[in-house]
Each structure stands twice: as C-alpha cells, then as structure tokens.
Amino acid sequence: ELITATDGFAEARKVGEGGFGRVYRADALPSLPRVACGFAVKTALVGVGAQGLAELQSEVRTLSAACHPSLLPLLGACLAPARACLVYPLCRGGSLEDRLYRTPAALQRLRMLGFETPPPPLSSAARLRVLRDAASALHYLHTLSPMTLHCDVSAGNILLDERGNGYLADVGLARAAEATAGSSGQVSHLSTQRIFGKPGYIDQIILNDNQASQLTDGFALGITLLVSLTGRGAVGL
Ligand SMILES: Nc1ncnc2c1ncn2[C@@H]1O[C@H](COP(=O)(O)OP(=O)(O)OP(=O)(O)O)[C@@H](O)[C@H]1O
C-alpha cells in the first residue's frame, strides 16, 4: 500500500531528506482514515541499516506514548526491516528551515508540497508563533514521566501546516532521561556516548561531559529562535 501510494518511492514524490530517511508525499492510504492534508511517508535510507531502523523504532516508541497538539503525530507504521516506514500528516507549509533560508532546493521542496509560486518570507509574528508551538510541544515532552528529551531540536525539525501552525517533528533521537539526586535537588539527565543534534545546535555540556538534559533541548531551541529571528545559519551565529 505504501509503495503504491508513493509510486514506488518516486523522486517526484519526495518532499524531504534527512540523515537517515527520505520523506514522500502520499495522497491516499486505504488502511488509514482520510486526512485533508494528505500523508507524509518517511522511510529509512537504503544502506543505513540498523541505525536507520533503530531511529524509526524509537520514533514509534516515543510517539505511541505521547500526544500534544503541536507534536507531529504518528498515523501509522510499517516496521518491516526491508522497508520500514512511518506515516505522518503532510505538513504543507514545509519546514521552518526551508521557509527561512529559501534556497533553490528548499523552494523545490515547497513546490512539491503544493506551493505553485514561492511563499512570501515568514513575518516575525509568524516565526514566533511557530516557535511558540514547538516550544510547547518540547515542554510537554519534558514533563512526561519519565522525562523525554528530544535531542535534535532544529529549524529543520519544526514543520508548518498550511495555516502556519508549528509542529515539533523527528523524535528519532528522543530518549527518556534518568532522574538522579544532584546538589540542587532532582536532576534528570541522559549519559550518552553519542553526540546528537545538528552542527551549531549542540551545547558545550554534551560536547564536554556527554550529559544531555532539558538544557540540551533548551539550548537548541534558543539557537532555533536566533536562527529564526536573524535568518542566519546556526553554525557561527
Ligand atoms: N510530515 C512532513 N510533512 C512535510 N515534510 C516533511 C514531513 N516530515 C519530514 N518532512 C521533510 O523531510 C525532511 C527530513 O525529515 P526528517 O528530519 O524527519 O528526516 P531524518 O532523516 O530523521 O532527518 P535528521 O537528519 O533530522 O535525522 C524535513 O526537514 C522536512 O523538510
């Protein structure tokens, strides 16, 4: 069904690509209730193997236990190792990153989402609204029990619908933090051997001590805010 709906994962249906996955537009999926915006089908890149599949499985775990109006919901999943796919609502407004930078590749992706002509630049008020929505979804993840860290907040992982609402997406790196007693009371953190996040969005604490906490996400959200308000890249901001 997913192969048919994406015309065999055709290039002409590709609306985005990340480190581990590609995202394709699908208009109808008979097994799922119809949604007006259409569907986005994310599939692990062929060749990324276990890590790509692990990220998709992690997204299923996190999103099955979470529900917030500004957290992009999971509508369906197929975890067949040969072609694992996750299905989301299609965010027809594109990513915040694409709407900010408006590079030729970004404008091409926005065309694929239905913009016949490039959309006008987002106003400051529209940027702040999208960021407020993403911040409320991030706060929600942080208040889950156990606390869940997103670990990959960036302008590329915040998506817009056609009305300009923002959604926090791509929870493939999200992890539950462990609560430990610190000098200032209960501290929730995650010890990790792996540095995650996008260049420019990663804070020094995780780089120096391999410790992620809600501050890691907060730092990345702060960089996203600066990127959004200045229109500059995250690296060397
Ligand atoms: N639901 C959606 N609707 C519209 N476009 C989407 C949707 N999901 C993802 N995209 C597009 O695809 C791009 C890549 O998606 P995503 O970030 O989820 O992939 P990834 O491989 O997990 O990336 P990352 O490098 O962040 O790990 C996004 O930046 C966005 O442009």
Side-chain angles (χ1 to χ4, degrees):
E1 189 173 308
L2 291 163
I3 293 170
T4 307
T6 58
D7 298 332
F9 301 100
E11 196 61 24
R13 284 192 166 270
K14 196 172 87 179
V15 295
E17 182 163 349
F20 293 101
R22 287 199 177 127
V23 181
Y24 299 86
R25 183 171 52 83
D27 303 321
L29 286 168
S31 302
L32 292 178
R34 222 186 130 64
V35 284
C37 55
F39 299 99
V41 179
K42 175 153 133 176
T43 180
L45 286 175
V46 176
V48 295
Q51 189 172 349
L53 186 60
E55 284 207 10
L56 295 188
Q57 287 168 336
S58 167
E59 291 208 46
V60 173
R61 267 195 308 278
T62 302
L63 292 175
S64 303
C67 178
H68 183 277
S70 300
L71 185 64
L72 192 69
L74 184 65
L75 301 178
C78 161
L79 291 180
R83 193 48 122 161
C85 294
L86 303 185
V87 182
Y88 303 91
L90 183 67
C91 291
R92 289 186 173 271
S95 72
L96 178 59
E97 184 171 62
D98 284 351
R99 295 295 294 272
L100 291 172
Y101 298 143
R102 302 160 56 82
T103 60
L107 295 180
Q108 169 59 22
R109 281 190 289 275
L110 292 170
R111 247 193 309 279
M112 292 300 305
L113 289 169
F115 286 99
E116 281 169 15
T117 55
L122 290 173
S123 66
S124 301
R127 296 173 197 204
L128 287 174
R129 175 178 165 197
V130 168
L131 287 162
R132 181 205 57 194
D133 292 343
S136 74
L138 187 61
H139 178 254
Y140 163 79
L141 287 178
H142 288 176
T143 52
L144 285 176
S145 184
M147 178 201 288
T148 298
L149 304 178
H150 184 282
C151 296
D152 197 13
V153 175
S154 72
N157 286 336
I158 296 175
L159 304 177
L160 283 74
D161 68 14
E162 53 204 344
R163 291 181 304 282
N165 299 305
Y167 297 87
L168 184 62
D170 197 6
V171 297
L173 295 178
R175 298 284 181 276
E178 309 126 27
T180 53
S183 50
S184 53
Q186 258 330 70
V187 182
S188 286
H189 73 278
L190 177 70
S191 300
T192 176
Q193 291 311 308
R194 191 175 151 210
I195 302 298
F196 29 60
K198 304 268 183 314
Y201 289 89
I202 307 169
D203 78 15
Q204 279 303 318
I205 302 174
I206 186 166
L207 285 177
N208 295 341
D209 303 334
N210 291 343
Q211 293 275 311
S213 71
Q214 64 271 56
L215 294 179
T216 314
D217 283 344
F219 183 89
L221 186 68
I223 296 290
T224 310
L225 178 66
L226 286 176
V227 160
S228 302
L229 295 181
T230 63
R232 293 169 55 181
V235 175
L237 194 67

